[in-house]
Amino acid sequence: MGAHSNGGRALAGFFGLVVLVVLLFGLVALVALRPTDGLAWVQVPDLSADLRLDAGLQTKPLKNTVLLEALQDRALEGNAVEALAVAPALAVAPANPVVAVIVPPSQRPVTTPAPTATPTPTPTPTPAPTPGPSPTPTPTPTARFAIVSASERVTQSPKTGNNKDRCSQTSVTATGSFTTNGAGGWVFYEWVRVDSQGNRTVNPQAPIRVAAGDTSSHAVVTDSFTPQHSGTDQLVFLNPAYTVAAQSWSCLG
């Protein structure tokens, strides 16, 4: 009875150990089968002929394309699919690949460059007109020097003594004056005597200087003489030319 009791305990302990080992291996399997970075432990059959894979537990990652080809081969052969345990993470269809679309140059958006500002031209300064020569003013014509008026006077007076009417006892005096237009210049003149016998006597005088702007009256040199016959005495202006009427005297020759 005691031996049977010891055998039961040993059997119970063995089964308990088996259960513990199974649980331990299950836990390790769950941890090992948890996807890490897209990797998994898989049990694959002998696919070395098609996929160049060794049967048994593989410790290297498999690509999704390799797994899909293996599944397709196994489905065609009719083998048990359960021999290939694939982690759920690897059975998921691969994400849509990113496709780079090359747009031809003719369909690319045209970027219009910003218009370049046109530089504003600097205005050229208008040159100042060159002053021309000042026109020479037309000189005002100077008035020609001229005599505008003149006069003379002849007087006679007897000398003391007898025969007062005799020419030899008579004294003749001629005086005169003139004015000019103020232009200024020299006045040339003379006294011209002519008696009743036709004798002509010319007595030139020194010229008289008249300043510009002077329009006053100027006296000439007096002409005094003792006649031999009756006659006339005339003040003659040579330059500027001017005519004065002759004045006469009378006496007995």
Side-chain angles (χ1 to χ4, degrees):
M1 187 69 182
H4 179 74
S5 177
N6 290 332
R9 291 186 185 134
L11 184 59
F14 175 76
F15 281 108
L17 181 59
V18 172
V19 172
L20 180 60
V21 171
V22 172
L23 292 176
L24 180 60
F25 273 96
L27 180 61
V28 172
L30 290 177
V31 174
L33 293 177
R34 182 180 180 183
T36 301
D37 297 330
L39 304 179
W41 294 101
V42 295
Q43 184 71 28
V44 296
D46 186 7
L47 302 176
S48 58
D50 297 329
L51 303 179
R52 297 179 183 178
L53 299 177
D54 295 334
L57 186 63
Q58 300 295 320
T59 59
K60 57 182 179 179
L62 298 177
K63 296 182 180 181
N64 293 340
T65 56
V66 175
L67 296 178
L68 291 177
E69 291 178 358
L71 291 175
Q72 292 176 358
D73 292 341
R74 296 299 295 173
L76 294 175
E77 293 177 0
N79 296 329
V81 182
E82 60 271 10
L84 183 60
V86 182
L90 298 179
V92 178
N96 294 330
V98 179
V99 180
V101 180
I102 301 177
V103 180
S106 60
Q107 299 181 3
R108 295 178 184 175
V110 179
T111 303
T112 303
T116 304
T118 303
T120 303
T122 303
T124 303
T126 303
T130 303
S134 301
T136 304
T138 302
T140 302
T142 303
R144 185 177 181 181
F145 185 47
I147 296 174
V148 295
S149 64
S151 63
E152 70 168 285
R153 182 182 179 190
V154 174
T155 61
Q156 65 183 64
S157 59
K159 298 178 180 179
T160 61
N162 297 325
N163 301 322
K164 296 181 181 181
D165 293 335
R166 303 291 298 181
C167 290
S168 58
Q169 299 298 318
T170 302
S171 177
V172 178
T173 303
T175 59
S177 63
F178 67 90
T179 60
T180 67
N181 59 357
W186 291 94
V187 176
F188 295 85
Y189 69 100
E190 61 188 8
W191 290 101
V192 179
R193 298 191 294 266
V194 180
D195 62 17
S196 56
Q197 300 300 314
N199 298 317
R200 180 182 175 88
T201 304
V202 178
N203 188 14
Q205 302 295 325
I208 299 174
R209 171 67 179 174
V210 179
D214 184 0
T215 57
S216 60
S217 178
H218 295 269
V220 298
V221 176
T222 300
D223 184 23
S224 298
F225 59 92
T226 298
Q228 296 178 356
H229 303 280
S230 298
T232 61
D233 198 359
Q234 184 180 17
L235 176 62
V236 178
F237 291 96
L238 303 176
N239 188 24
Y242 193 83
T243 302
V244 179
Q247 302 295 319
S248 62
W249 78 89
S250 62
C251 62
L252 298 174

